[in-house]
Amino acid sequence: MSTLAVYPGSFDPLTNGHVDIITRGARLFDRIIVAIAANAEKSPLFSMAERIEIAGAVFKSMPNVEIETFDGLLVDYVERRRAQVIVRGLRAVSDFEYEFQMALMNRRLNGKIETIFMMPAEQYSYISSRLIKEVFSLGGRVHGLVPDMVEDRLRTKVGAP
Ligand code: PNS
């Protein structure tokens, strides 16, 4: 049986922490879908089209990584795609409570789907999309923390540095 995993998130924007988890997931599962949630962020900085474009460009050389969008319940989407696994990244203990709640709620909603947690490389363990946007908009450097394409887009959207 081939294994299909779904890695859901807002990806506003994609960070190198996400890229690290997706790359690890692509080695573990036959296919992994990066599933961008349509309604997770009320006013995203990056449009859905941009988030799809960025993820598509970053993973274009990895044929077992697919990019999709979903709305509604994650478990319903995962079931529709006939995937067996939800992948989530765990950076620190602070992530645990929220992730634990989501994993157990998702299990209650659909007991056939397992959530698997993966840890990013330690150099990415403190990065979040929210922090990237905040630091960049206040003039801080985010080089090496996000794909170059994201850095370029941030510069166009937010301005220097
Ligand atoms: O990158 P994020 O913002 O941490 O991702 C959160 C996401 C999109 C995975 C979560 O909000 C989600 O699953 N949204 C879909 C709606 C849903 O199923 N909600 C119930 C989760 S228990």
Side-chain angles (χ1 to χ4, degrees), residues 9-12 35-40 44-55 67-71:
S10 316
F11 306 106
D12 183 42
I36 308 175
N39 47 12
L45 181 63
F46 287 82
S47 70
M48 182 53 87
E50 285 174 306
R51 285 180 276 164
I52 295 170
E53 186 195 349
I54 290 167
I67 318 299
E68 293 192 356
T69 66
F70 76 100
D71 55 17

Side-chain angles (χ1 to χ4, degrees), residues 15-104:
T15 69
N16 282 347
H18 296 131
V19 173
D20 181 277
I21 296 286
I22 296 161
T23 307
R24 287 171 200 280
R27 290 200 291 260
L28 209 54
F29 304 104
D30 293 307
R31 288 158 58 218
I32 182 163
I33 300 174
V34 179
I36 308 175
N39 47 12
E41 291 253 345
K42 282 190 192 75
S43 44
L45 181 63
F46 287 82
S47 70
M48 182 53 87
E50 285 174 306
R51 285 180 276 164
I52 295 170
E53 186 195 349
I54 290 167
V58 169
F59 293 104
K60 69 171 183 297
S61 62
M62 294 175 63
N64 68 334
V65 177
E66 296 159 37
I67 318 299
E68 293 192 356
T69 66
F70 76 100
D71 55 17
L73 278 180
L74 173 62
V75 286
D76 291 345
Y77 165 75
V78 173
E79 170 115 47
R80 273 201 308 280
R81 299 299 283 108
R82 297 180 194 279
Q84 301 89 352
V85 171
I86 295 170
V87 171
R88 290 287 290 173
L90 259 194
R91 291 163 299 191
V93 178
S94 50
D95 281 342
F96 181 76
E97 196 168 336
Y98 170 61
E99 295 297 336
F100 183 73
Q101 285 179 342
M102 278 209 303
L104 291 189

